[in-house]
Amino acid sequence: QFSFGDFDGDGDATDTMISVDHNGGVFFQATQDIVLTDVDLSLGGTLTTTQILDSLISDNNIATDWSFDIFL
């Protein structure tokens, strides 16, 4: 889950918070938040989460590993 705003308190809204659910359960429950200071992945709020992820994957800026069985 992505959130955008001023998470470092410097008065601008150019930060990105990525909330992570480490086990990917049925209901999203963030177990970790990662703040990217002065990084706006949403291009000023014009991109959706799906568009951001598609771009990161297609540009090889994020790795995904679907080789494990999530139903173990």
Side-chain angles (χ1 to χ4, degrees):
Q1 177 179 355
F2 293 92
S3 302
F4 308 98
D6 179 21
F7 301 110
D8 62 2
D10 66 0
D12 64 12
T14 59
D15 305 325
T16 299
M17 182 185 307
I18 304 170
S19 299
V20 179
D21 180 350
H22 79 281
N23 66 1
V26 175
F27 299 102
F28 181 83
Q29 186 173 17
T31 54
Q32 181 176 19
D33 290 324
I34 303 165
V35 175
L36 306 175
T37 302
D38 295 328
V39 176
D40 180 9
L41 296 177
S42 73
L43 297 178
T46 61
L47 298 178
T48 65
T49 297
T50 300
Q51 291 171 317
I52 293 168
L53 287 172
D54 287 345
S55 175
L56 290 171
I57 292 168
S58 68
D59 294 342
N60 292 317
N61 290 317
I62 191 171
T64 58
D65 182 1
W66 299 101
S67 64
F68 62 92
D69 186 350
I70 62 171
F71 300 106
L72 289 176

